[in-house]
């Protein structure tokens, strides 16, 4: 790889102090460090050797864990398309290609726009390019419907990166989950493109008789609002077996690109937990909180038939699994203390089900629950830290 | 009551280059140095000698005007050849051209029974006038103990869990009597207990087998179980206003010898370790020895780092540098100032890591690792959470403490436990930090903030 090093070396003088592109040094350095681990050594005092792990590797591990969701999502976009248009003999390749055609442009826009914003800020502030956007750039497309207009993706990305991250100082400083902020932005700014019958890409084709692109959560919200029997409504779905527990677990249902399948999310969770990059405490407690709240609703009962949906169904519908595994575990916006992580995750689960079941205006709850708890995470940590300080103070004599 | 404490948190790193139990014959270095920079908190050092003076081993050569009663003595006999100063005339090194045969300043000799009848004042006076006092370190802050204080207890960690740590059973063989005498002296210095903490997972070292009069506690677990700070945290934690002292086993031996033999003897077996050393082992020398001489003709490759101490808390001093006062080990490892193509991504079992993120497969490799000084990444903000807690066997929240220090929040720094920590206690956090922050420097900054507040 000497030639690449030479190429970088040859343009280096232009970026160094006094060179014509001096202010773009951070871009030069950022790109060089993608190809080459830098030649930095430890200082004279302090540790003399360092762990081989770094933030780049950590972030790329999350991207890797997201791959199953991306691939399954591409297939599901195609699968839903052919299901809705009544093409029974579509092959797995056909489905995947249709999906790729819809998903890859969103991915390209997300990374292209997001990285441009990041680079601009790095140059303006002259701070090094950080790796946070590697993950955010992948998360944003996965929580979008396949039918989202690309300009909206771009706008949401700009909003999320600037308002969600850069104003706070960049990677590691943000309060809210950046990718969720992108989705929340669209949710409030352009609601008609991100809720309702938007989950299935139909293209020019005609949908089959009785088609509805609604998610099971929409059925639930409708049932809760009208007092109708949700379980019956879901059972009589135009596509037989669509909302069976197993089908929902596998994820061949309408929804955002990457979040429909609990199964592949768990595969991602296995990677995150196995590598220690994601907090298993948060993942487990989100599922636990949602299940507990579901059980509580089952016990309370009442005339809301959504409340009567078996508690374990909550774990496989909507984006709960995706949110629990990839969004709630964002180490920066989640609780930082180990005890705090249990509380934080549990409350996300509880609030998710609460929003789903009793708030008819928001069929999906996980996104708002995580953003809500992002805001409260510092408070949870505050109490955990206070408890630690108190323990120390109790044994003090002065 | 003696206690047995099992620690689970921590991380042992298995490096190539452990010292074999052999002592190499070497030509003693020509020069030795006393480095005031080895001690924290020396603010107004005053010299008692000038260049050209002849000194004996144990001749006082310096003191700190802030604590005048404690002197620093010459480690060897010879001529003071250079007083090296740095920026703003900061005193860096006092170099001594050593005699071929070391002569000792004669101090009073004591039999074991004499020591028993010594008063605290006499013991303090003799130690501080002879130079052996500086073996006592105060917690909090890691400064030299103040003879005017009365510590609540004295703690000695009897084992070292740092990477490539010397085998104390070998390094201190035959010093049983001095060690016991040292303990007897230390017992006089505190109204509380003297805790000797030994490795609970191995056999009791010979030097400790017949020790009497002190509390012997057993600690087991991965590094940092051998750190005295961790041990204090579990035995009798340091709160605001508390003062505890610590001493290394080598320090205890030196104190014991000072009383038994009446000489300030800094001779010690120094472990020569590290993957770049051809023949690892021990060399007998004195405190402040010229590092290059101790490893002469015994190093492979020509681009190495010479570390006085271990790879977690040691100092890169170079071949021309001198062994630190507290150090009983030299580590030589390759420098890592090279770029590596996709070095942040490539899967490998050869790169040592606490983490298991993509491609870091060192946990599959049970062999010894050869590490260099590369940082494996650039400095970033704090992103990863929960990792420090996995290697910190203490009830402290490191990340919050570091952030409080960076924010200069005095109350928070105190409340989060700065009194319990020194650099060595968080060195492992610094090692595993994926954001590559200089945590030991940050901690010292916090310690100095509180110490001077």
């Amino acid at each position: 790889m000497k030639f690449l090093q030479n190429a970088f070396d040859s343009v280096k003088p232009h970026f160094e102090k006094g060179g014509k592109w001096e202010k773009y040094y951070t871009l030069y350095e950022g790109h060089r460090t993608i190809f080459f681990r830098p030649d930095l050594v430890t200082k004279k005092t302090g540790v003399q050797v360092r762990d081989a792990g770094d933030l780049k590797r950590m972030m790329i591990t999350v991207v890797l864990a997201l791959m199953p969701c991306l691939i399954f999502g591409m297939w599901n976009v195609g699968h839903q398309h052919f299901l809705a248009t009544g093409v029974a003999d579509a092959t797995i390749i056909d489905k995947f290609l249709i999906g790729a055609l819809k998903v890859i442009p969103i991915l390209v826009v997300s990374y292209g726009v997001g990285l441009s914003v990041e680079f601009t800020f790095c140059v303006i502030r002259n701070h090094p390019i950080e790796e946070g956007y590697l993950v955010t750039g992948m998360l944003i497309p996965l929580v979008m419907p396949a039918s989202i207009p690309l300009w909206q993706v771009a706008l949401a990305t700009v909003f999320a990166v600037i308002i969600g991250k850069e104003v706070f100082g960049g990677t590691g400083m943000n309060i809210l989950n950046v990718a969720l902020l992108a989705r929340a932005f669209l949710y409030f700014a352009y609601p008609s493109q991100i809720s309702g019958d938007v989950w299935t890409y139909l293209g020019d084709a005609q949908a089959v008789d009785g088609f509805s692109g609604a998610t099971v959560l929409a059925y639930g919200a409708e049932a809760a609002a009208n007092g109708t029997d949700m379980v019956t409504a879901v059972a009589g779905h135009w596509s037989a077996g669509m909302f069976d527990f197993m089908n929902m677990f596998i994820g061949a249902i309408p929804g955002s690109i990457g979040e429909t399948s609990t199964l592949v999310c768990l595969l991602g969770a296995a990677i995150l937990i196995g590598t220690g990059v994601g907090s298993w405490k948060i993942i487990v407690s989100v599922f636990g909180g949602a299940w507990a709240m579901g059980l509580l609703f089952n016990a309370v009962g009442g005339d809301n038939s959504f409340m009567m949906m078996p508690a374990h169904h909550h774990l496989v519908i909507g984006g709960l699994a995706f949110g629990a595994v990839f969004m709630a575990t964002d180490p920066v916006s989640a609780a930082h203390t180990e005890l705090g992580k249990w509380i934080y995750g549990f409350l996300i689960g509880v609030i998710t089900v609460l929003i789903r079941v009793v708030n008819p205006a928001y069929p999906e709850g996980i996104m708002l629950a995580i953003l809500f708890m992002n805001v409260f995470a510092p408070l949870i940590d505050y109490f955990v830290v206070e408890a630690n300080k108190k323990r120390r103070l109790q044994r003090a004599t002065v | 009551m003696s206690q047995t404490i099992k620690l689970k948190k921590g991380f042992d790193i298995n490096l190539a280059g452990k010292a074999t139990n052999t002592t190499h014959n070497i030509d003693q270095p020509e020069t030795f140095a006393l480095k005031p920079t080895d001690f924290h908190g020396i603010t107004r050092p005053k010299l008692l000698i000038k260049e050209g003076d002849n000194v004996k081993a144990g001749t006082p050569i310096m003191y700190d005007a802030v604590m005048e009663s404690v002197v620093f003595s010459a480690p060897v006999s010879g001529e003071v050849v250079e007083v090296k100063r740095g920026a703003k005339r900061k005193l860096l090194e006092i170099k001594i051209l050593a005699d071929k045969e070391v002569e000792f300043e004669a101090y009073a000799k004591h039999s074991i029974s004499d020591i028993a009848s010594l008063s605290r004042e006499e013991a303090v006076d003799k130690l501080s006038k002879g130079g052996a006092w500086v073996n006592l370190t105060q917690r909090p802050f890691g400064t030299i103990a103040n003879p005017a204080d009365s510590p609540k207890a004295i703690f000695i960690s009897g084992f070292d869990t740092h990477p490539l740590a010397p085998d104390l059973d070998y390094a201190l063989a035959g010093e049983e009597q001095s060690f016991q005498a040292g303990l007897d002296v230390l017992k006089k210095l505190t109204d509380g207990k003297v805790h000797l903490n030994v490795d609970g997972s191995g056999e009791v070292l010979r030097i400790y087998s017949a020790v009497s009069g002190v509390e012997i506690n057993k600690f087991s677990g991965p590094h940092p179980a051998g750190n005295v700070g961790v041990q204090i945290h579990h035995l009798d934690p340091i709160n605001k206003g508390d003062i505890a002292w610590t001493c290394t086993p080598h320090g205890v031996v030196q104190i014991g010898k000072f009383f038994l033999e009446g000489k300030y003897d800094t001779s010690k077996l120094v472990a020569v370790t590290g993957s770049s050393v051809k023949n690892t082992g021990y060399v007998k020398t004195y405190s402040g020895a010229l590092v290059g001489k101790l490893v002469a003709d015994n190093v492979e490759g020509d681009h190495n780092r010479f570390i006085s101490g271990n790879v977690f808390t040691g100092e890169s001093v170079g071949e021309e540098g001198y062994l630190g006062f507290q150090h009983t080990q030299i580590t030589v490892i390759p420098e890592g100032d090279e770029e590596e193509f996709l070095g942040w991504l490539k899967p490998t079992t050869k790169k040592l890591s606490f983490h298991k993120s993509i491609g870091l497969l060192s946990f599959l490799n049970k062999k010894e690792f050869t590490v260099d000084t590369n940082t494996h990444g650039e400095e970033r903000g704090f992103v990863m959470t929960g990792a420090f807690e996995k290697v910190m066997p203490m009830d402290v929240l490191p990340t919050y403490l570091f952030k409080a220090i960076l924010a200069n929040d005095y109350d928070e720094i105190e409340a989060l436990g700065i009194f319990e920590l020194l650099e060595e206690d968080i060195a492992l956090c610094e090692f595993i930090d994926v954001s590559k922050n200089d945590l030991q420097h940050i901690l010292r900054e916090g310690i100095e903030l509180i110490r001077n507040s």
Side-chain angles (χ1 to χ4, degrees):
Chain A
M1 284 302 132
K2 195 73 191 151
F3 79 95
L4 204 55
Q5 262 170 318
N6 291 342
F8 273 114
D9 284 341
S10 66
V11 295
K12 193 175 182 183
H14 300 307
F15 291 97
E16 285 177 326
K17 218 166 174 56
K20 53 185 168 178
W21 301 315
E22 183 189 333
K23 62 179 173 180
Y24 300 109
Y25 179 77
T26 174
L27 293 186
Y28 162 81
E29 192 208 14
H31 285 92
R32 184 166 189 150
T33 55
I34 291 173
F35 290 100
F36 297 100
R37 178 204 70 184
D39 54 1
L40 306 169
V41 291
T42 52
K43 296 187 175 148
K44 210 165 168 283
T45 55
V47 289
Q48 305 288 320
V49 296
R50 288 278 195 172
D51 191 292
D54 69 342
L55 209 55
K56 278 195 176 67
R57 241 185 232 270
M58 208 182 115
M59 293 292 183
I60 205 78
T61 307
V62 185
V63 175
L64 180 83
L66 282 163
M67 283 299 139
C69 286
L70 179 73
I71 292 164
F72 182 87
M74 286 187 187
W75 171 83
N76 191 41
V77 167
H79 178 69
Q80 295 300 325
H81 170 78
F82 288 119
L83 206 60
T85 52
V87 182
D89 55 353
T91 63
I92 192 165
I93 303 289
D94 293 337
K95 292 175 181 176
F96 193 77
L97 286 178
I98 288 266
L101 216 58
K102 292 307 291 177
V103 175
I104 287 174
I106 302 178
L107 200 64
V108 169
V109 168
S110 162
Y111 271 113
V113 173
L115 287 176
S116 306
V117 177
E118 288 255 312
F119 288 173
T120 309
F121 270 86
C122 288
V123 170
I124 294 171
R125 289 192 183 150
N126 198 21
H127 73 58
I129 295 172
E130 296 184 336
E131 294 79 12
Y133 198 76
L134 272 181
V135 175
T136 312
M138 179 64 74
L139 285 173
I140 289 177
L142 295 183
V143 293
M144 297 286 163
S147 59
I148 193 87
L150 292 178
W151 66 270
Q152 287 189 6
V153 177
L155 205 58
T157 303
V158 171
F159 176 85
V161 176
I162 296 180
I163 303 295
K165 187 160 87 171
E166 294 299 341
V167 293
F168 292 105
T171 301
M173 312 286 184
N174 48 304
I175 290 171
L176 300 173
N177 184 310
V178 183
L180 271 184
L181 202 63
R183 194 180 141 133
F185 170 80
L186 292 184
Y187 198 83
F188 293 109
Y190 303 99
S192 56
Q193 274 82 16
I194 204 163
S195 54
D197 279 355
V198 298
W199 309 107
T200 310
Y201 164 66
L202 291 171
D204 298 330
Q206 194 68 40
V208 293
D209 282 347
F211 165 77
S212 154
T215 63
V216 69
L217 287 166
Y219 282 101
E222 194 183 304
N226 303 339
T228 53
D229 186 356
M230 174 207 167
V231 180
T232 320
V234 168
H237 193 264
W238 62 271
S239 172
M242 173 71 91
F243 293 134
D244 288 352
F245 182 82
M246 216 39 216
N247 199 46
M248 291 195 292
F249 176 72
I250 291 166
I253 52 174
S256 294
I257 293 165
E259 68 174 23
T260 58
S261 173
T262 308
L263 179 70
V264 294
C265 286
L266 290 179
L267 200 63
I271 296 174
L272 289 186
I273 293 171
T275 56
V277 171
S279 166
W280 63 272
K281 293 174 186 169
I282 294 178
I283 298 173
V284 169
S285 60
V286 172
F287 280 110
W291 193 57
M293 195 63 193
L295 286 179
L296 187 70
F297 274 134
N298 287 170
V300 172
D303 57 355
N304 180 342
S305 70
F306 199 3
M307 283 189 184
M308 300 309 292
M309 187 176 76
H312 59 276
H313 280 230
H314 276 298
L315 309 185
V316 297
I317 64 177
L320 186 104
F322 189 83
V325 174
F326 297 109
M327 296 290 192
T329 52
D330 166 19
V332 176
S333 59
H336 293 177
T337 55
E338 296 307 290
L339 177 64
K341 283 174 183 170
W342 284 112
I343 302 169
Y344 168 82
F346 190 81
L347 289 178
I348 286 177
V350 167
I351 296 170
T352 302
V353 173
L354 198 67
I355 295 175
R356 278 178 179 176
V357 175
V358 299
N359 189 338
Y362 300 108
E364 176 55 298
I366 185 85
M367 171 185 78
L368 290 171
I370 294 175
L371 286 174
F372 188 69
M373 288 312 297
N374 281 169
V375 177
F376 279 95
L379 186 69
I380 298 171
D381 285 336
Y382 171 80
F383 286 114
V384 177
V385 174
E386 283 303 303
N388 178 283
K389 281 153 62 174
K390 212 169 157 189
R391 277 197 292 280
R392 198 163 281 108
L393 211 60
Q394 266 169 355
R395 63 177 200 229
T397 47
V398 178
Chain B
M1 268 289 284
S2 296
Q3 297 185 43
T4 301
I5 292 165
K6 289 195 173 85
L7 301 173
K8 289 208 181 88
K9 291 177 174 181
F11 185 52
D12 278 328
I13 74 175
N14 186 16
L15 297 188
K18 287 185 187 64
T20 52
N21 283 353
T22 46
T23 304
H24 303 312
N25 287 321
I26 54 155
D27 297 331
Q28 284 299 323
E30 285 84 28
T31 54
F32 289 77
L34 176 74
K35 297 186 284 179
T37 47
D38 286 343
F39 305 92
H40 288 297
I42 294 184
T43 44
R44 288 161 58 202
K46 303 280 177 195
L47 290 175
L48 294 165
I49 41 83
K50 55 185 186 303
E51 285 179 12
D53 285 357
N54 280 306
V55 293
K56 290 181 181 172
T59 307
I61 56 174
M62 190 192 95
Y63 68 97
D64 185 6
V66 176
M67 204 156 63
E68 286 188 17
S69 59
V70 176
V71 301
F72 295 74
S73 295
V76 291
S77 63
E79 182 194 344
V80 178
V81 283
E82 188 189 350
V83 175
K84 189 176 167 189
R85 291 180 183 271
K88 294 184 184 170
R89 292 188 46 77
K90 183 179 177 180
L91 188 55
L92 298 179
E93 286 167 359
I94 303 164
K95 288 187 200 170
I96 296 167
L97 184 63
D99 295 336
K100 284 273 175 258
E101 199 66 44
V102 174
E103 284 180 52
F104 291 93
E105 196 81 50
Y107 291 96
K109 282 188 190 180
H110 300 74
S111 64
I112 292 282
S113 55
D114 288 346
I115 293 175
S117 59
L118 272 179
S119 71
R120 180 183 199 269
E121 286 66 33
E122 282 175 299
V124 170
D125 191 53
K126 285 173 194 283
L127 276 175
S128 45
K129 280 188 180 150
W133 181 268
V134 297
N135 281 300
L136 293 168
T137 304
Q138 176 204 288
R139 291 219 176 207
F141 311 141
T143 52
I144 294 168
N146 188 340
D149 292 331
S150 176
K152 68 170 184 175
I154 296 177
F155 297 87
I156 301 151
S157 173
F159 64 113
D160 189 347
T161 47
H162 280 103
L164 302 176
D167 176 0
L168 289 180
D169 212 19
Y170 185 78
L172 294 175
E175 307 283 10
E176 289 81 356
Q177 210 185 3
S178 306
F179 190 78
Q180 181 62 51
L183 291 179
D184 292 342
V185 175
L186 292 186
K187 263 162 49 190
K188 296 183 183 299
L189 304 180
T190 175
D191 297 330
K193 292 172 179 166
V194 174
H195 292 274
L196 173 63
N197 307 319
V198 300
D199 189 356
S201 56
E203 283 181 29
V204 177
L205 307 187
R206 273 169 294 167
I207 190 164
Y208 308 136
S209 55
V211 159
S212 66
V214 294
E215 292 275 317
I216 298 185
N217 308 291
K218 288 185 173 174
F219 280 82
S220 57
H223 182 70
N227 278 11
V228 73
V230 173
Q231 296 162 0
I232 298 174
H233 178 85
H234 289 277
L235 293 171
D236 187 6
I238 298 171
N239 308 299
K240 186 176 184 176
D242 287 351
I243 286 178
W245 291 351
T246 65
C247 190
T248 61
H250 280 89
V252 178
V253 167
Q254 200 186 80
I255 289 171
K257 269 190 190 164
F258 179 73
F259 280 89
L260 285 182
E261 298 172 21
K263 59 184 188 186
Y264 177 68
D265 185 358
T266 63
S267 65
K268 52 188 166 189
L269 274 186
V270 174
V272 178
T273 61
S275 56
S276 295
V277 175
K278 282 189 230 164
N279 296 308
T280 61
Y282 293 79
V283 293
K284 184 147 183 134
T285 188
Y286 300 87
S287 237
L290 184 71
V291 164
K293 254 327 224 197
L294 303 182
V295 290
D297 304 325
N298 194 14
V299 174
E300 282 170 353
D302 52 5
H303 194 43
N304 291 305
R305 180 175 290 204
F306 295 80
I307 302 160
S308 170
N310 60 60
V311 293
F312 277 0
T313 59
E315 182 183 357
S316 165
V317 292
E319 270 185 287
E320 300 304 312
Y322 294 91
L323 186 68
F325 180 82
Q326 299 275 14
H327 294 152
T328 57
Q329 174 183 8
I330 286 170
T331 313
V332 189
I333 54 171
E335 283 284 6
D337 54 349
E338 290 165 1
E339 290 188 319
E340 185 190 355
F341 183 64
L342 296 183
W344 62 278
L345 187 61
K346 276 195 295 198
T348 172
T349 56
K350 290 188 180 143
K351 283 186 189 166
L352 178 68
S353 179
F354 172 73
H355 306 282
K356 299 190 181 79
S357 34
I358 164 175
L360 290 178
L361 306 168
S362 62
F363 63 97
L364 298 174
N365 186 352
K366 298 294 174 213
K367 286 190 212 139
E368 293 175 334
F369 290 87
T370 300
V371 288
D372 60 30
T373 60
N374 193 280
T375 57
H376 299 285
E378 300 147 289
E379 199 169 310
R380 294 284 185 261
F382 291 103
V383 170
M384 184 98 168
T385 62
F388 296 160
E389 283 77 2
K390 285 184 196 156
V391 296
M392 191 81 182
M394 294 164 92
D395 184 23
V396 290
L397 300 167
T399 319
Y400 282 86
L401 178 63
F402 298 137
K403 288 186 177 177
I405 295 171
L406 293 174
N408 283 3
D409 185 343
Y410 288 75
D411 291 343
E412 197 78 357
I413 295 172
E414 284 190 9
L416 287 167
I418 193 106
F419 301 112
E420 301 198 52
L421 298 173
L422 287 187
E423 286 94 327
E424 60 172 15
D425 301 317
I426 51 113
L428 193 54
C429 294
E430 186 175 59
F431 171 74
I432 67 156
D433 183 15
V434 291
S435 299
K436 313 293 175 190
N437 287 289
D438 295 325
L439 303 181
Q440 294 189 56
H441 291 148
I442 294 175
L443 185 80
R444 180 43 68 178
E445 209 178 291
I447 290 173
E448 293 304 320
L449 273 181
I450 298 301
R451 199 165 74 87
N452 299 320
S453 68

